[in-house]
Amino acid sequence: MKETIFTPFIGQYPVSKTLRFELKPVGKTLEHITREGLLQHNEKRAEDYKVAKTIIDNYHRYFIETVLSQASFDWKDLKSGIDSYKKKEIDSDELENIQKKYRGQIQRNFSKDERYKMLMASTLGTE
């Protein structure tokens, strides 16, 4: 190999290459895909998913807003803990314990709501 001014830079860094592969139907697979309308079915499913996801997201947002609007918390301990942590009076483990207490209170507000039980049952597939 001929020496150039760039020779010292050759092989200094690993080269990353992206390989692109394409799946092509073989044999009667394309005929089956066309006959059964699988691509059109999947496109419709993808469109339906967008609509369903919007509906589900809106319901979850409504559920969260209604549960939290009915909840009442005294945030003094959390504020005090954050202030103490910023002043380095407590460590991150102590702040985490304070936060854990508040997360538990919030979780209890959700879990005692009847809608939460139905959402969990439908998520876990145990209705």
Side-chain angles (χ1 to χ4, degrees), residues 77-78 80-100:
D77 290 343
L78 181 59
S80 173
I82 292 170
D83 291 341
S84 296
Y85 177 74
K86 286 180 180 177
K87 294 176 185 174
K88 303 204 185 306
E89 295 172 352
I90 64 171
D91 64 7
S92 61
D93 290 337
E94 291 177 84
L95 178 60
E96 177 64 31
N97 287 335
I98 295 168
Q99 292 171 333
K100 187 176 182 179

Side-chain angles (χ1 to χ4, degrees), residues 32-94:
H32 174 71
I33 290 170
T34 306
R35 182 181 65 242
E36 298 297 325
L38 296 178
L39 295 178
Q40 294 81 3
H41 178 70
N42 284 347
E43 288 172 0
K44 171 122 176 61
R45 182 182 294 176
E47 290 301 317
D48 291 346
Y49 172 78
K50 290 177 187 175
V51 173
K53 181 165 178 16
T54 302
I55 293 168
I56 291 168
D57 287 349
N58 287 337
Y59 179 76
H60 285 138
R61 191 174 297 109
Y62 166 77
F63 171 66
I64 291 167
E65 287 174 2
T66 56
V67 169
L68 291 180
S69 69
Q70 297 168 4
S72 175
F73 301 105
D74 181 9
W75 300 102
K76 291 177 192 168
D77 290 343
L78 181 59
K79 181 183 179 334
S80 173
I82 292 170
D83 291 341
S84 296
Y85 177 74
K86 286 180 180 177
K87 294 176 185 174
K88 303 204 185 306
E89 295 172 352
I90 64 171
D91 64 7
S92 61
D93 290 337
E94 291 177 84

Side-chain angles (χ1 to χ4, degrees), residues 112-126:
K112 68 183 178 185
D113 190 292
E114 200 60 37
R115 296 170 296 179
Y116 176 80
K117 294 170 186 152
M118 291 187 309
L119 284 170
M120 290 308 295
S122 65
T123 301
L124 299 174
T126 56

